[in-house]
Each structure stands twice: as C-alpha cells, then as structure tokens.
Amino acid sequence: MKKIFRVVALCVVIGCTGSVMGAGADTPAGRYPQQGDGTAMWAAAAPKPEDESGLTWQQVMGIVLLGGGCCGGGVLWQKARQVKIEPQPLEVAMSKDYVTRSEFEDYRKQVASDIERIHKRLDTVMPAVAEIKGELKQIAQKQTQILDLLLNRKAS
C-alpha cells in the first residue's frame, strides 16, 4: 500500500511540476534568468507573484481530492486487513482424557435403565389415557344429540 501511495504521490508531483514549469514557457524572453546560470529551471518553475500559477482552482481541488481519496482508501484498506476475531472460534485442542471401554459400558447401562424407567411410567399412564379418550367420544356424541334437540327440536 505504501508503494502505491508513493507512486501516486510522485505522479502528482511530476504533473504539478510539469504544469508549473510549462506555464512560464510562453513568456517573453528576458523575463527569467538565463539558461546557463543554473537557476533558470527553478525560476521558470516558480511563477512571479503577478503571474498566474499555471493551475486552475479545479486542478488544485482535483489534486487535493485525489490525494485525500488515496490516503483515506489506504487507511480503510489497512483497517479491513487487520480485523481479528477474539477469542479464536476455530481453535481445536486435543483431549488427553479419553473414555475407557468400561466407563462407556457403564454409561450405556445407566442410559438403558433411565429409558426403562420412562417406559414403565408411560405404561402405567396409557390405560388411563385410553379411558379418557373413550369418554371424550361419548361426550362428543351427547353434545351432538343436545345440539340436534336445540336446533331441530326433534328427539331421535
């Protein structure tokens, strides 16, 4: 990311420098120092106070927005890469304590006895449930007869 930012910044600097240096190229001769004294390049690059800078305000704002966008994008990209999930949800650890065969058999016997107890309790309740079910059928028949009497006024 730093390399990309440096390349973009270098391109912006070169573009600005070229624009500013090209701004003085169409000025009349004799206005800037001569080529041979070593200051001609810098004098041409820095416009006089009364001259325009060579960049419009739109170009300056574009450069500022481009630089800000690159910096902001770089910061967001770095933050996105540094996301950490705490605590580690996928950590797998080996268990040193294994269940022995005899412990497993004891557990199976315990579960089997629990299931047997549950079945005994259900078996004692099932006849009562069947009896209630039969009584509910009789109640439904009586209710139907009562409704027929009330609605049709006929006794069957």
Side-chain angles (χ1 to χ4, degrees):
M1 184 65 196
K2 290 181 182 179
K3 290 181 182 180
I4 293 172
F5 178 73
R6 287 179 184 165
V7 169
V8 171
L10 181 64
C11 291
V12 169
V13 169
I14 290 172
C16 291
T17 306
S19 299
V20 171
M21 289 178 73
D26 57 348
T27 57
R31 189 163 183 175
Y32 294 105
Q34 296 298 322
Q35 294 281 344
D37 63 359
T39 62
M41 183 176 88
W42 298 110
K48 302 290 183 201
E50 64 272 1
D51 293 337
E52 289 188 24
S53 67
L55 294 174
T56 64
W57 69 272
Q58 291 97 348
Q59 291 172 329
V60 172
M61 290 305 295
I63 292 168
V64 169
L65 290 175
L66 179 68
C70 289
C71 291
V75 167
L76 291 175
W77 187 61
Q78 286 294 330
K79 283 186 178 181
R81 287 184 56 209
Q82 295 175 355
V83 173
K84 291 183 180 179
I85 300 173
E86 293 294 331
Q88 173 57 273
L90 302 176
E91 186 174 338
V92 178
M94 292 296 293
S95 176
K96 294 184 180 183
D97 297 329
Y98 296 104
V99 177
T100 63
R101 185 73 173 173
S102 63
E103 290 174 339
F104 179 68
E105 289 299 325
D106 291 340
Y107 178 73
R108 282 185 61 194
K109 288 177 184 175
Q110 180 184 357
V111 170
S113 68
D114 289 344
I115 291 174
E116 189 177 322
R117 275 193 347 218
I118 292 170
H119 279 287
K120 284 181 182 177
R121 291 177 70 185
L122 287 175
D123 290 342
T124 59
V125 173
M126 288 306 290
V129 171
E131 184 180 336
I132 292 172
K133 190 174 180 182
E135 289 177 8
L136 286 176
K137 284 184 183 179
Q138 289 177 359
I139 291 172
Q141 288 174 353
K142 295 291 182 186
Q143 182 182 8
T144 305
Q145 288 176 355
I146 292 170
L147 284 175
D148 283 342
L149 282 174
L150 290 174
L151 294 176
N152 298 330
R153 305 244 178 215
K154 294 181 186 175
S156 49

